[in-house]
Amino acid sequence: MSDIDIGISKKNRAEISDGLKHLLADTYTLYLQTHNFHWNVTGPQFRELHLMFEEHYQELALAVDDIAERIRTLDVAAPGTYKAFAELSSIKEVDGVPTSADMVKYLTKGHEKVVKTARKVLKVAQEADDESSASLVSDRMRVHEKTAWMLRATQA
């Protein structure tokens, strides 16, 4: 990490970046899981879920880029391997192909986990007066909370 002068100390940039790395790993893992479920969903809700999962994974693909670029803006290397993401993510892989109902449950829990990760890094960013990271994380929280709600609504 070099000495950049954006009004955030080196120590705070490192702490914020660490939280953003976890957020990136969770987001990428959820992206991969959602894309997998998009490919493999079957059952009476096939069309609805197939299209919904596609919307979700496309949104997540854009999000990983935004998060990684924020890490780079803070002058920290962004993780970018499956190994790194597996170590950093709170979302675990799902073996096999679950039922469509279980896919929805897994994805709901995944979005909720991302919200929890985001809350942790949001606090760190706010304490460091890093409005740019706080805004990014807050926006991500809103998307994941809404997506979890929509997924829960399909189970009602």
Side-chain angles (χ1 to χ4, degrees):
M1 189 183 307
S2 63
D3 291 324
I4 63 174
D5 186 14
I6 60 171
I8 305 168
S9 73
K10 195 173 195 175
K11 177 182 178 283
N12 285 341
R13 286 187 288 125
E15 290 172 353
I16 295 162
S17 295
D18 184 58
L20 289 172
K21 287 177 185 181
H22 288 275
L23 182 61
L24 176 61
D26 278 358
T27 304
Y28 194 90
T29 303
L30 186 58
Y31 158 80
L32 187 59
Q33 193 173 79
T34 305
H35 211 156
N36 175 27
F37 291 171
H38 163 77
W39 290 327
N40 290 299
V41 68
T42 59
Q45 289 184 291
F46 166 77
R47 182 162 173 74
E48 175 190 350
L49 293 177
H50 183 75
L51 293 174
M52 182 190 313
F53 295 166
E54 182 175 16
E55 289 173 10
H56 293 176
Y57 81 70
Q58 288 177 346
E59 194 281 329
L60 290 163
L62 297 173
V64 295
D65 198 51
D66 288 342
I67 298 164
E69 288 179 357
R70 182 63 193 160
I71 294 168
R72 292 299 301 137
T73 300
L74 295 171
D75 200 36
V76 174
T81 65
Y82 290 120
K83 180 181 177 183
F85 290 149
E87 291 170 359
L88 291 165
S89 182
S90 66
I91 300 170
K92 301 304 173 207
E93 290 186 22
V94 175
D95 291 327
V97 178
T99 66
S100 61
D102 284 341
M103 287 178 180
V104 171
K105 289 176 186 174
Y106 281 121
L107 293 177
T108 301
K109 294 297 179 196
H111 283 278
E112 292 171 346
K113 285 182 179 192
V114 175
V115 171
K116 290 177 185 177
T117 300
R119 285 193 192 288
K120 290 177 188 174
V121 70
L122 178 62
K123 186 174 184 173
V124 174
Q126 289 172 331
E127 289 172 357
D129 202 26
D130 178 0
E131 184 59 38
S132 296
S133 294
S135 177
L136 171 68
V137 173
S138 178
D139 289 347
R140 296 303 319 147
M141 284 174 56
R142 187 171 34 260
V143 168
H144 291 285
E145 288 171 346
K146 184 175 182 179
T147 303
W149 161 59
M150 290 185 168
L151 286 164
R152 281 191 303 272
T154 68
Q155 301 172 60

